[in-house]
């Protein structure tokens, strides 16, 4: 089993992938009034940044150009 986020850093050989590929679509992002943020592993980092900036939170802005999901960013 291979869990795939956006697939931005994936190269697949001509023979493909042996097994099951699961596309992670868990994308929910919640930003509380108290600044508490919950983001599922399939949420894109770009959308997470947009939502946190809209809530006047900062600290992730320098990642805006990196195509990644929250789960991929944690794994890397």
């Amino acid at each position: 089993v291979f869990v795939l986020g956006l697939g931005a850093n994936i190269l697949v050989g001509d023979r493909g992938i042996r097994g099951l590929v699961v596309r992670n679509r868990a994308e929910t992002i919640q930003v509380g009034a108290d600044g508490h943020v919950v983001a599922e592993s399939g949420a894109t980092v770009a959308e997470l940044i947009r939502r946190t900036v809209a809530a006047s939170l900062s600290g992730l802005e320098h990642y805006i150009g990196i195509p990644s999901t929250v789960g991929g960013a944690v794994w890397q």
Side-chain angles (χ1 to χ4, degrees):
V1 176
F2 181 79
V3 179
L4 180 67
L6 290 178
N9 294 323
I10 301 296
L11 293 175
V12 178
D14 291 339
R15 293 184 182 177
I17 296 175
R18 183 179 172 97
L20 176 68
V21 177
V22 177
R23 167 69 164 95
N24 183 0
R25 305 269 323 205
E27 301 173 340
T28 300
I29 299 171
Q30 298 173 342
V31 181
D34 62 351
H36 186 89
V37 179
V38 176
E40 292 182 333
S41 59
T44 64
V45 172
E47 183 61 23
L48 176 61
I49 292 167
R50 284 187 208 97
R51 299 278 299 277
T52 54
V53 167
S56 298
L57 301 173
S58 64
L60 298 174
E61 299 83 12
H62 60 281
Y63 296 111
I64 193 67
I66 301 172
S68 183
T69 59
V70 172
V74 170
W75 181 82
Q76 289 180 9

